Amino acid sequence: RRVSGGNISVEGIRKRLREIIVEKSLSFGKFVLASGKESSYYLDCRKATLHPEGLYCISKLFLKKMEDCEEVVDAIGGPMIGADPLVAGVVLQSHVENNPVEGFIVRKELKTHGTMKKIEGNLKEGCNVAIVDDVVTTGGSIITSIEEVESLGCKVVLILSVVDRGEGGKEIFQGKKYNYQPIFTIDEILGDVTTPTGVKR
């Protein structure tokens, strides 16, 4: 069932990615999220984004969404540390597919030495940009990244995430007229998953 190369369909890649996320990233219990909210499940998407096949699937799906975007995407980036493996995976895969895009990372704080940058990588003024993160909850970290890249005169033409938790981020992006396209909603991930207590989600 492993996905690698060949003429695998987008839906086939997406189906395999969901299997990886459910197996590697999904836990049930009592968790406090970064937003401060409590949740009965936790989605540690870095278990999938740092998994060889998981990152391959995500990179392929993100590139397809970028190719389908009405405006050309010149660069992809996002907030540390959730975006780090995603950006690297997409940049590498874009080279393999001979349709290269540049990558960048937005620091949480200004670098205090050397070039003293807030944005690392290859972002140039005037670029069309895709902003990416692994999981979107309230959308705060992505909005911060957007503000940074727009301050350089770049245009955000696409926002991507692996999973949208359905807790307000999507509505914020839409309210600001951004094109937001997650691979999955949380309902699609949970689907018919059986919890440790035997209850189907």
Side-chain angles (χ1 to χ4, degrees):
R1 300 169 75 174
R2 181 172 172 268
V3 172
S4 62
N7 295 316
I8 307 298
S9 69
V10 168
E11 194 51 44
I13 294 173
R14 192 172 179 273
K15 181 180 179 182
R16 177 59 184 139
L17 177 58
R18 180 183 179 270
E19 292 174 349
I20 293 169
I21 292 172
V22 169
E23 177 188 350
K24 302 286 184 182
S25 301
L26 190 59
S27 301
F28 293 97
K30 187 176 181 180
F31 304 95
V32 177
L33 306 178
S35 63
K37 295 181 179 180
E38 287 192 357
S39 176
S40 61
Y41 67 90
Y42 184 67
L43 199 62
D44 184 359
C45 250
R46 280 179 277 277
K47 297 283 189 178
T49 64
L50 292 169
H51 180 273
E53 189 182 1
L55 182 57
Y56 172 79
C57 291
I58 294 166
S59 300
K60 292 285 287 184
L61 294 170
F62 277 176
L63 274 173
K64 181 66 168 64
K65 289 181 180 293
M66 290 161 66
E67 290 166 3
D68 291 345
C69 185
E70 292 183 358
E71 299 186 67
V72 174
V73 179
D74 303 308
I76 184 170
M80 298 175 71
I81 62 173
D84 294 7
L86 302 174
V87 171
V90 170
V91 168
L92 175 58
Q93 190 62 33
S94 75
H95 172 76
V96 171
E97 296 185 13
N98 199 31
N99 189 20
V101 295
E102 299 285 356
F104 64 93
I105 298 294
V106 181
R107 287 176 168 271
K108 292 181 179 180
E109 297 177 355
L110 189 71
K111 190 175 180 179
T112 58
H113 60 281
T115 55
M116 301 181 71
K117 292 179 179 178
K118 186 74 178 287
I119 298 177
E120 300 287 356
N122 299 305
L123 185 61
K124 298 177 181 178
E125 183 177 349
C127 285
N128 283 352
V129 169
I131 298 291
V132 63
D133 207 352
D134 52 2
V135 177
V136 163
T137 304
T138 62
S141 58
I142 284 184
I143 291 297
T144 298
S145 294
I146 288 173
E147 291 170 351
E148 291 295 330
V149 301
E150 288 183 340
S151 72
L152 295 180
C154 296
K155 181 181 180 182
V156 176
V157 298
L158 189 61
I159 299 173
L160 299 169
S161 72
V162 181
V163 181
D164 183 277
R165 283 187 60 107
E167 296 188 28
K170 176 182 177 180
E171 289 71 24
I172 289 173
F173 302 150
Q174 289 178 338
K176 294 178 179 290
K177 308 298 184 185
Y178 290 113
N179 178 10
Y180 173 47
Q181 297 191 32
I183 295 175
F184 300 105
T185 65
I186 190 59
D187 288 340
E188 289 175 312
I189 291 296
L190 294 175
D192 59 355
V193 173
T194 302
T195 69
T197 58
V199 176
K200 283 188 177 293
R201 297 293 305 183

